[in-house]
Amino acid sequence: MPESIALGALRSFVLDLDGVLFRGEQRLSGAAELLAYFERTGRRYRLLTNNSTRTPAEVSAHMARIGIRVRADLILTSSVAATQHLKRLRPSGARVFVIGEEGLRIPLEDAGFDLADDGHADYVMLGVDRFITYDKLKRATLLLRAGVPFIATNPDTTYPSPEGLVPGAGALIAALVASSGVSPVVIGKPSPEAFWLALDEMQADRAHAAALGDRLDTDIEGGDRAGIATILVLTGVSNRADAEASPLKPTWIFDDLPSLIAALEEADRSSGTYTGLR
C-alpha cells in the first residue's frame, strides 16, 4: 500500500456493493451521488462483489430497481473474476466441473469453457450452490483426488439471507478440503487477485487507487494485500471499534458515503491536500 497519498489524488476505486451502495433492497445514502461524482471528475471505478450467484447483468438490474444505474461491464463478481483467472491460465479453453449456480456457469460458458457433467474435467470450480447434492461433492472429490486443480470464487463461510446467515461458498470449500485434502486457489476477496483484475480492467495506477468497503476482513484486507489504499465506510459490517482493535488499519475511515463525497469535494477544491481520518 502507498505509504502516503492525498485523498484527492485517488483516480481509481474498487468498490464493494452490499453494505456500501445498498443493503438488500435499500439504496444507501450517497450511493448514486458517489458514482456520479466519480464520473463527473473523471475517476474510474469497478464494483467488486463476492456474490457468485448473480451475473453482472442481474446485479445491474437489481441496482437499477433501487435507483443506482451502473453498466454491467463495470461490475465484477467473484464468478467473473474466477473465470478471467482461468482464462489467463487456459486461453484456449478447458473442461470445468462446476459446483455453483448460473452466476458462475454463464460466465464460464460465455468465456468458451466446456462445462463437464461427467467424471472428466481439467478443473474443478466452486461457488455458492444452493442446490448442492452429495453426487456433486462426490464427483468433485474424485477429481481433486486425481490431481485436478481446484479454484473457488470466494471464501465466505456464510452469506445473509432473509432467514439469517446461511452456508456460503466457504462452507462447501471446507467439505471438499475435508474429503480430498486439496485446498483451492481462491479468487474473491480478500484475495488480491480479484482486486488486480479490477485494476487491470481500468488500466489503473495502483499508487493512485483505493479499495472502498464496509468489511475489514474482506474489503480492507483485500485492498491492503493488493497494495492499494483502503477506505472503510461504517455503513455495513465493521464499526469504528472494530477498526481500532484490528491490526488492519484503513487509510481512511468515513461514517457514510455523503461524508466521503464531502471530503473528496474538499480535496478537489484544495488540489488534493485533504488527508482524511485515521
Side-chain angles (χ1 to χ4, degrees), residues 16 50 156 189-191 195 215-223:
D16 183 42
N50 266 2
D156 299 352
K189 299 180 286 188
S191 167
F195 289 90
R215 293 184 63 129
L216 288 162
D217 60 345
T218 55
D219 308 311
I220 303 307
E221 180 179 346

Side-chain angles (χ1 to χ4, degrees), residues 57-74:
E58 290 171 331
V59 176
S60 176
H62 166 74
M63 294 178 69
R65 287 194 298 272
I66 58 175
I68 311 171
R69 299 196 176 275
V70 179
R71 301 195 318 266
D73 63 301
L74 299 181

Side-chain angles (χ1 to χ4, degrees), residues 19-20 23 28-29 213-214 231-236 238-240 252-261 277:
V20 176
R23 188 180 299 114
L28 294 181
S29 178
D214 69 302
I231 302 171
L232 177 70
V233 287
L234 306 178
T235 52
S238 299
N239 57 37
R240 194 173 294 276
W252 295 276
I253 300 174
F254 293 97
D255 289 330
D256 51 27
L257 294 182
S259 61
L260 170 58
I261 295 169
L277 304 173

Side-chain angles (χ1 to χ4, degrees), residues 126-128 137 154-159 166-178:
L126 180 147
V128 170
L137 292 173
N154 69 85
D156 299 352
T157 55
T158 62
Y159 73 93
V166 296
L172 302 182
I173 290 172
L176 287 181
V177 170

Side-chain angles (χ1 to χ4, degrees), residues 36-55:
Y37 190 79
F38 286 163
E39 293 171 2
R40 190 163 64 250
T41 57
R43 291 175 166 94
R44 292 165 290 184
Y45 66 89
R46 287 294 185 274
L47 308 183
L48 176 61
T49 174
N50 266 2
N51 189 324
S52 66
T53 63
R54 290 175 172 173
T55 65

